[in-house]
Amino acid sequence: MYGPAFSATSAGLAAATGRSAETSAFTYRLLGALGVLTAVALAALAAPASSFAAAFVGWNPLLALDFAGGGHNDVWMAVFVLAGIALTRRRPGLAGASWALAAGLKWVPLALLPFELLRAGGREARRLTVGFLVCAVAIAGGALVLFGTAWLGALLPFAHRRSAYALPSRLGELGLPGWAAASLAAAPLAVALPWLVRSARRGRPRLGVTTILLLVASPWVLPWYAVWAVPLAAVEEDRLGWLLALGLCAYLLPDRVPI
C-alpha cells in the first residue's frame, strides 16, 4: 500500500542513515513523533473548535504508541490530507497538490478526495483538481524514472491479505464463509454511501466517518491505521465521527498493547 513518494523518501533515508538499523529505526520514530505534532497543529488550524481538535489528536495514546513508538509513515499521509483541508478555501491549487502528496505516500486519500471535491464544487473544485493532477503527474513521472512501472502494482500483494483485527476476519471466526464475511463488512459503507455523497454536496464531506467505514470494510487493518480517521474526525463538527473514531481506537488498542 506504499506509494512512490514514500518509497523514494525511504530510499533517501536509507542512504542517509547507512547500515545502522538502530539509527534508521530512531529516525523513523523521530519523524513519526514530528508527524503527530504537525498533525495536531494542522488539526487545530483547520477545525472550527481548534482546542478540541488538538486534544482529540494529541492526547490519543494509540497514536503516540504507533508513531513516536513505531515510526509508521501513515501519519504523514494524514498530515498532507489535513494540509489540503486547511488550504482548500484559500489556496485550492496548493490544497490539491497536498492531496496528491498524501496519495503518493499511501493510496487511501484517493478514496476520500471525491467527497472533498463534492463539498467544494464549482471553481474551487476545478482549481483543487488541477493542483492535484499537476502534482500527481509530477509524482508519477518521478516514480517512472526511479522505479519503472513496478510501483503500479504496489497494491497487488495486499489484495488477499488478512489481519486478525479486520472485521472480515472477525466474522470469519464466527464460521461465515469468506465471501459472506467480506460482503457483511462492506455493507455499512454501501448503505451509507448515498448519505455520504448527499452530505458532501451540502458542504459536509464527513471524511472521518467515510474513512472509518472504509476500515470496517477492509480485510487488512493495523493499529496505526487509526491515524487515517482520527485527525479527520477531529476537524469536523460531527459527533458521529468523534464517537466512531474513539471506538475504533479502543478496539485497536489491544492489538498494539495486549491486555
Side-chain angles (χ1 to χ4, degrees), residues 167 171 180-194 213 216-217:
L167 183 59
L171 294 172
S183 299
L184 195 56
L189 178 60
V191 170
L193 190 58
L213 292 176
V216 167

Side-chain angles (χ1 to χ4, degrees), residues 1-2 5 26 107 113 138-140 173 180 199 211 240 244 255 258:
M1 295 180 71
Y2 297 120
F26 175 78
W107 307 104
L113 182 58
I139 291 171
E173 293 173 0
S199 181
T211 305
L240 177 61
L244 290 176
D255 192 26

Side-chain angles (χ1 to χ4, degrees), residues 17-43:
T17 56
R19 297 178 177 273
S20 172
E22 183 177 346
T23 301
S24 295
F26 175 78
T27 301
Y28 277 103
R29 289 197 300 271
L30 178 61
L31 289 173
L34 291 174
V36 173
L37 293 175
T38 306
V40 170
L42 286 171

Side-chain angles (χ1 to χ4, degrees), residues 25-251:
F26 175 78
T27 301
Y28 277 103
R29 289 197 300 271
L30 178 61
L31 289 173
L34 291 174
V36 173
L37 293 175
T38 306
V40 170
L42 286 171
L45 180 65
S50 58
S51 298
F52 171 83
F56 198 83
V57 178
W59 289 354
N60 188 300
L62 184 60
L63 301 190
L65 285 168
D66 282 323
F67 298 104
H72 300 285
N73 74 315
D74 300 70
V75 69
W76 286 101
M77 178 197 76
V79 162
F80 284 111
V81 171
L82 287 173
I85 292 171
L87 287 166
T88 293
R89 288 181 174 84
R90 297 173 182 171
R91 301 293 297 273
L94 285 178
S98 191
W99 276 90
L101 286 169
L105 293 172
K106 278 201 167 181
W107 307 104
V108 180
L110 296 178
L112 303 176
L113 182 58
F115 295 96
E116 181 67 3
L117 292 173
L118 285 172
R119 181 210 60 77
R123 184 168 178 266
E124 185 180 306
R126 289 192 294 273
R127 292 179 65 187
L128 199 156
T129 301
V130 169
F132 175 84
L133 291 176
V134 169
C135 189
V137 168
I139 291 171
L144 287 171
V145 171
L146 292 172
F147 309 118
T149 58
W151 64 278
L152 295 171
L155 283 176
L156 295 179
F158 292 87
H160 302 291
R161 297 186 70 175
R162 300 288 184 272
S163 64
Y165 270 66
L167 183 59
S169 298
R170 294 296 199 187
L171 294 172
E173 293 173 0
L174 300 177
L176 290 177
W179 65 267
S183 299
L184 195 56
L189 178 60
V191 170
L193 190 58
W195 168 66
L196 293 170
V197 170
R198 185 168 62 251
S199 181
R201 284 177 173 167
R202 293 176 177 175
R204 297 189 66 189
R206 298 183 185 271
L207 299 180
V209 171
T210 303
T211 305
I212 291 166
L213 292 176
L214 286 170
L215 288 169
V216 167
S218 175
W220 184 253
V221 177
L222 298 171
W224 49 92
Y225 288 7
V227 81
W228 298 5
V230 171
L232 294 176
V235 302
E236 297 177 323
E237 291 186 298
D238 186 355
R239 291 185 180 182
L240 177 61
W242 301 340
L243 291 173
L244 290 176
L246 291 175
L248 174 70
C249 292
Y251 171 71

